[in-house]
């Protein structure tokens, strides 16, 4: 239905540009000076009307294209969100790294080894292959203490999600965990 509406609007725009005002047909006859002035006045009015009609058609086309572009952007964002949103876990020998990506735009990365925890929290934006994680705060917890700081780092995370509920992730900014795993290498996370 939207395609038909768009086609009708495009046809209307084309028709506006193809219309020749009726006064042009009369402009070739020079019966008298009065006819010439009247014809010139009519031509000016027709040109003004033509300009207004063209501007309205262009404005209408702009609105239609704007709405269509916004809808396409929302559809792409929603399809991407469905793929990478959720809780993802990588279990090493001693350390578990968990990534939580919320539909509300929040994100966290946590590395846990027994009672020791390191974490990063913030917001994200994403495309079909890249997540940009903007960290707001980070910290660490042990069995006896907690330390948290305001942070202003950005991590770029390359990822791909398959239909089996796994995500391959590569990010050199994620610290090497206590097992010695380097996230610069592609790492498989499982959705839980």
């Amino acid at each position: 239905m939207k395609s038909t509406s768009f086609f009708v609007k495009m046809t209307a725009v084309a028709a506006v540009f193809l219309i020749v005002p009726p006064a042009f047909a009369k402009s070739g006859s020079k019966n008298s000076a009065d006819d010439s002035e009247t014809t010139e006045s009519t031509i000016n009015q027709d040109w003004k009307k033509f300009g207004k009609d063209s501007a309205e058609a262009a404005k209408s086309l702009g609105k239609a294209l704007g709405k269509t572009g916004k809808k396409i952007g929302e559809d792409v964002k929603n399809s991407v969100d469905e793929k990478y949103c959720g809780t993802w876990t990588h279990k090493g020998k001693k350390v578990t790294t968990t990534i939580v990506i919320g539909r509300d735009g929040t994100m966290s990365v946590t590395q846990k080894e027994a009672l020791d925890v390191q974490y990063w929290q913030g917001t994200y934006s994403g495309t079909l292959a890249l997540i940009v994680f903007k960290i707001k705060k980070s910290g660490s917890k042990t069995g006896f203490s907690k330390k948290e700081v305001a942070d202003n780092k950005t991590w770029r995370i390359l990822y791909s999600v398959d239909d089996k509920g796994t995500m391959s992730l590569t990010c050199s900014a994620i610290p090497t965990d206590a097992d010695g795993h380097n996230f610069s290498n592609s790492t498989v996370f499982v959705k839980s």
Side-chain angles (χ1 to χ4, degrees), residues 109-123:
V109 176
T110 306
Q111 290 181 337
K112 183 175 181 180
E113 177 190 9
L115 297 176
D116 295 335
V117 177
Q118 283 188 291
Y119 63 90
W120 300 264
Q121 297 173 341
T123 59

Side-chain angles (χ1 to χ4, degrees), residues 120-159:
W120 300 264
Q121 297 173 341
T123 59
Y124 73 91
S125 60
T127 65
L128 293 174
L130 175 71
I131 297 170
V132 178
F133 178 33
K134 294 186 178 182
I135 301 169
K136 304 279 186 196
K137 62 182 175 179
S138 62
S140 60
K141 299 176 192 174
T142 65
F144 307 105
S145 66
K146 179 180 178 180
K147 179 177 134 184
E148 186 172 272
V149 295
D151 215 333
N152 192 21
K153 293 179 184 157
T154 301
W155 294 356
R156 285 171 174 61
I157 303 169
L158 296 173
Y159 78 97

